Amino acid sequence: MRRRISRRSFIAAVAGGAATGAGSLGLVIGRAQAGQVTDRDPGDPVGRGRGGGTGITDSDSGVGADPAGRGRGGGPRPGATGVTDSDPSDPVGRGRGGSGVTDSDTGPYADPRGRGRGGQRGPSANSPYDPAARDERCENNRRLYAELNRDGSTPESWSEGQLRVAEADLEAIGGAISMQRTNSSGNQQVQDRAWSIIAPIGPRYGFPITRSSDWYRLEGELRRQIYLARTSPVRAERMRQLQNARTNLAALGC
């Protein structure tokens, strides 16, 4: 038997259903909102924040990097790189990357801070090479230096030492000639002294000489040979290589 619905009962039924629906909708929305977080992390999408910590994901990288949502970065700061490396010398967020190690290297070839190569066989204070490579390069440069600095048989192949001796001999010849020229009285002791200076010089440069020889000719010949030594392109290149070997030995600390 159908019951007749009055106006009052109809309104009550509609109002009750609306209330029930609103309650269910609020429960759904509440649950949805409970799972959605929008934090201050610019790396998180809206409503998908990971929360916790500082709510910031910075640009840290490396072994000591900050976890997502827990960055210690922040806005631009003087010296901030956004990198936290494993270098205990670098403040957080100011890492300089590289190997993350600041070792104890010193000298012109020392490792930059944060890029140390460390280790027991690391570079020496005066060399960019490990000990084994450094010893080998030292030996090679010593051998080259000795070869380039050997005495030669011609002015174009004279060593540095031979040229210095020739220049000293030229000065000594001038002194002996001056002694002879001023010995107007013919003092024998002066003549003997002058001859003792000249006698060993002539044969050294392939010039036979006696007491009665023209000593000026010996002086002129030696001057010519010195000129050849100083202007020879072959010798100049040899001296350049010699200087390079000398510089390498000093740089390696050999």
Side-chain angles (χ1 to χ4, degrees):
M1 178 182 188
R2 295 180 62 187
R3 189 177 63 176
R4 187 176 180 180
I5 301 174
S6 66
R7 180 180 179 183
R8 179 177 294 177
S9 61
F10 175 77
I11 294 174
V14 172
T20 301
S24 300
L25 180 59
L27 179 61
V28 172
I29 293 174
R31 288 177 179 174
Q33 288 177 340
Q36 293 180 349
V37 177
T38 300
D39 54 22
R40 296 184 297 115
D41 188 346
D44 295 339
V46 175
R48 298 178 185 272
R50 287 163 289 186
T54 61
I56 296 175
T57 300
D58 54 23
S59 58
D60 272 4
S61 60
V63 178
D66 299 329
R70 289 178 168 79
R72 289 163 290 182
R77 293 172 296 167
T81 62
V83 176
T84 299
D85 54 24
S86 57
D87 188 348
S89 300
D90 295 336
V92 173
R94 290 182 167 81
R96 286 158 294 183
S99 64
V101 176
T102 298
D103 54 23
S104 58
D105 273 5
T106 59
Y109 295 102
D111 299 327
R113 288 173 61 87
R115 289 180 168 80
R117 287 163 288 184
Q120 293 183 351
R121 289 180 61 80
S124 69
N126 297 317
S127 171
Y129 309 100
D130 63 43
R134 174 182 173 276
D135 291 345
E136 181 180 356
R137 289 180 64 87
C138 282
E139 181 59 30
N140 290 341
N141 278 278
R142 287 193 190 100
R143 188 182 301 111
L144 178 62
Y145 183 87
E147 180 181 348
L148 293 171
N149 201 37
R150 70 185 185 282
D151 289 346
S153 57
T154 62
E156 291 85 351
S157 61
W158 279 355
S159 66
E160 289 182 318
Q162 282 179 295
L163 180 58
R164 285 194 296 267
V165 169
E167 291 170 340
D169 285 343
L170 182 62
E171 185 176 351
I173 292 172
I177 291 175
S178 178
M179 290 172 63
Q180 283 286 71
R181 187 172 59 249
T182 58
N183 185 23
S184 56
S185 61
N187 186 295
Q188 189 62 43
Q189 289 183 344
V190 173
Q191 292 179 359
D192 291 344
R193 174 57 182 160
W195 171 244
S196 68
I197 294 173
I198 290 288
I201 295 179
R204 195 147 50 221
Y205 302 98
F207 192 91
I209 192 169
T210 64
R211 282 179 177 265
S212 58
S213 297
D214 185 352
W215 293 1
Y216 285 103
R217 289 185 58 194
L218 173 61
E219 183 183 37
E221 175 59 23
L222 183 53
R223 196 182 299 277
R224 184 187 70 83
Q225 292 191 28
I226 291 174
Y227 175 80
L228 290 175
R230 288 175 175 171
T231 60
S232 169
V234 174
R235 185 176 181 279
E237 175 59 21
R238 178 183 167 194
M239 293 300 104
R240 186 190 67 78
Q241 295 179 22
L242 181 67
Q243 181 58 43
N244 286 343
R246 184 185 290 120
T247 300
N248 290 340
L249 288 170
L252 289 165
C254 301

